[in-house]
Amino acid sequence: MTMLHTVNKSPFERNALDSCMSMANKGSKILLIEDAVVGAVDKNTHAEKIKGAMSDYTFYVLGPDLQARGIDEGNVIDGVNVVDYAGYVDLVAETDNVQSWL
Amino acid sequence: MKFGILVTEGPYQHQASDSALQFCRAALEKGHEVMRVFFYNDGVNNSTRYTTPPQDDRNIVNSWSELAEKHGIDLVVCVAAAQRRGIVDEGEAQRNGKDGNNIAEGFRISGLGQLVEAGIQCDRIVTFGD
Amino acid sequence: MAEPWEEDEGPVKKFMFVNRKAPYGTIYALESLEVVLISAAFDQDVSLVFVDDGVYQLKKGQTTDGIGMKNFSPTYRALEGYDIEKLYVSKESLEERGLSEDDLLVDVQVMSKSEIADLMDDQDVVLSF
């Protein structure tokens, strides 16, 4: 089974992303939404965590939440896929279940 | 596909309700069904019709009501969580001796069993919270 | 009349409740427990996971007189009576907090996060509080 994990907290504020990555099986999809999108910015001090885990997980970030926070898609870590809400729905539909790391 | 949505935070304080609304709209647009939205924890605060945001701001409560009416979505507010936070419909007001009710159009107050039932009947449950 | 979910042949799904927060600071632990108790009535396959600060929900010796809140920890001991017996606790989360299985007020299965990850992958519904 493939799971979708969503994270909505900035890695600068809480450990939700760490916690998610410590319990998400290889092959899982991880979607960053709301304040978690700040963790998708290349060169942020937490970016290495995501870069180092790219062989285990496929990462996604919600575009509307990036835009709302003034983050240019061009500054997102290479290999992190930007999706819109329709893409979010597709991720939920194409995986077997979803866990929200709040 | 049949979706159930769980909202565990109130409107405005957190983005959770907005995210849930956007997710529901996108799912409906793609032809999916949203069978039920269950409001729990502070999420019950999405259901008070006394919400009066500034005119240039979105009205999240009305957005739920409108979405529910248009697409036949069951908006369920947990009774125990609602009682703690002062959300009442007419029946609850009578039972608990309150002098009024504040539930918005399209919402109904019911038990936690409705959440478990949604889990059983839906293909996916997606949680939005803090 | 029996409700649809009370019939013998109803569908059984795997529900996992993930508890990640300490009790009392927020209401999540208490209201999560309330859902768990209701879910027992539906005869589903229910499991509870305690990770991160959620392990404190099961800590022995909770005494809440000083904060004026109700101590709901005895309810975890009652779960067995509702046939909810799958309680999984993260070994790492205990160790990080200087706790061990002896500090917990109920019988649990202590397991690694990777073991919990396998269980989580196998669920139909995962609810996180």
Side-chain angles (χ1 to χ4, degrees), chain B residues 62-75 105-106:
Chain B
N62 290 353
S63 299
W64 283 121
S65 297
E66 287 157 16
L67 198 71
E69 192 186 4
K70 192 172 169 196
H71 299 279
I73 303 169
D74 190 19
L75 304 178
E105 195 68 33

Side-chain angles (χ1 to χ4, degrees), chain B residues 6 8-9 14 40-42 80-81 84-85 112-123 125 127 130, chain C residues 4-5 11-13 15 17 21 27-28 30-35 38-39 42 44 124-129:
Chain B
L6 171 61
T8 63
E9 293 299 332
H14 299 280
Y40 195 43
N41 303 124
D42 275 357
R84 282 194 178 106
R85 293 159 180 91
L112 275 168
Q114 300 283 305
L115 171 61
V116 182
E117 187 192 62
I120 295 169
Q121 293 182 359
C122 293
D123 300 302
I125 297 285
T127 305
D130 175 38
Chain C
W5 57 83
V12 174
K13 281 196 173 183
F15 280 73
F17 294 89
K21 291 175 177 140
I27 200 168
Y28 299 108
L30 173 60
E31 290 194 330
S32 169
L33 192 53
E34 290 180 352
V35 188
I38 296 292
S39 71
F42 286 78
Q44 302 295 300
D124 295 304
V125 181
V126 184
L127 297 175
S128 190
F129 289 98

Side-chain angles (χ1 to χ4, degrees), chain C residues 19-30 50 52-59 62 64 67 69-73 76:
Chain C
N19 300 286
R20 297 183 50 231
K21 291 175 177 140
Y24 310 114
T26 55
I27 200 168
Y28 299 108
L30 173 60
F50 298 86
D52 298 334
D53 285 339
V55 300
Y56 268 101
Q57 295 178 24
L58 301 180
K59 177 76 176 61
Q62 296 178 33
T64 55
I67 60 169
M69 291 166 77
K70 184 181 169 190
N71 172 11
F72 58 90
S73 64
Y76 294 103

Side-chain angles (χ1 to χ4, degrees), chain B residues 8-26:
Chain B
T8 63
E9 293 299 332
Y12 304 106
Q13 179 87 15
H14 299 280
Q15 199 185 339
S17 306
D18 293 288
S19 297
L21 270 164
Q22 300 288 6
F23 182 90
C24 289
R25 288 180 184 129

Side-chain angles (χ1 to χ4, degrees), chain A residues 6-10 31-41 60-73 76 81-86 88, chain B residues 14-20 22-23 58 128-129:
Chain A
T6 67
V7 178
N8 74 341
K9 288 295 169 307
S10 163
L31 169 65
L32 308 176
I33 67 167
E34 300 175 1
D35 287 350
V37 301
V38 307
V41 176
Y60 301 85
V61 61
L62 195 61
D65 279 328
L66 284 174
Q67 290 156 18
R69 288 157 182 81
I71 300 168
D72 193 292
E73 279 187 27
V76 167
N81 307 286
V82 180
V83 296
D84 57 8
Y85 280 100
Y88 184 173
Chain B
H14 299 280
Q15 199 185 339
S17 306
D18 293 288
S19 297
Q22 300 288 6
F23 182 90
R58 71 235 186 269
F128 295 88

Side-chain angles (χ1 to χ4, degrees), chain C residues 6-127:
Chain C
E6 288 172 338
E7 289 172 17
D8 292 340
E9 303 292 321
V12 174
K13 281 196 173 183
K14 291 182 179 173
F15 280 73
M16 175 177 276
F17 294 89
V18 181
N19 300 286
R20 297 183 50 231
K21 291 175 177 140
Y24 310 114
T26 55
I27 200 168
Y28 299 108
L30 173 60
E31 290 194 330
S32 169
L33 192 53
E34 290 180 352
V35 188
V36 168
L37 291 170
I38 296 292
S39 71
F42 286 78
D43 292 326
Q44 302 295 300
D45 181 349
V46 175
S47 56
L48 278 64
V49 165
F50 298 86
V51 291
D52 298 334
D53 285 339
V55 300
Y56 268 101
Q57 295 178 24
L58 301 180
K59 177 76 176 61
K60 273 181 193 164
Q62 296 178 33
T63 311
T64 55
D65 304 351
I67 60 169
M69 291 166 77
K70 184 181 169 190
N71 172 11
F72 58 90
S73 64
T75 310
Y76 294 103
R77 286 203 203 97
L79 288 176
E80 203 180 355
Y82 290 87
D83 290 328
I84 294 171
E85 290 165 336
K86 296 177 179 173
L87 276 63
Y88 308 118
V89 176
S90 157
K91 182 171 177 285
E92 296 89 338
S93 298
L94 284 176
E95 285 170 356
E96 285 163 5
R97 287 159 185 79
L99 299 172
S100 74
E101 196 172 346
D102 293 339
D103 291 305
L104 305 182
L105 51 76
V106 277
D107 286 336
V108 299
Q109 278 178 265
V110 175
M111 50 176 70
S112 70
K113 284 186 172 180
S114 64
E115 289 173 295
I116 294 173
D118 287 338
L119 287 171
M120 192 184 284
D121 256 16
D122 199 32
Q123 301 298 312
D124 295 304
V125 181
V126 184
L127 297 175

Side-chain angles (χ1 to χ4, degrees), chain A residues 33-67:
Chain A
I33 67 167
E34 300 175 1
D35 287 350
V37 301
V38 307
V41 176
D42 199 10
K43 297 190 177 68
N44 93 78
T45 55
H46 294 274
E48 292 305 319
K49 282 179 204 164
I50 289 178
K51 288 180 184 173
M54 284 210 172
S55 55
D56 292 339
Y57 310 120
T58 315
F59 286 93
Y60 301 85
V61 61
L62 195 61
D65 279 328
L66 284 174
Q67 290 156 18

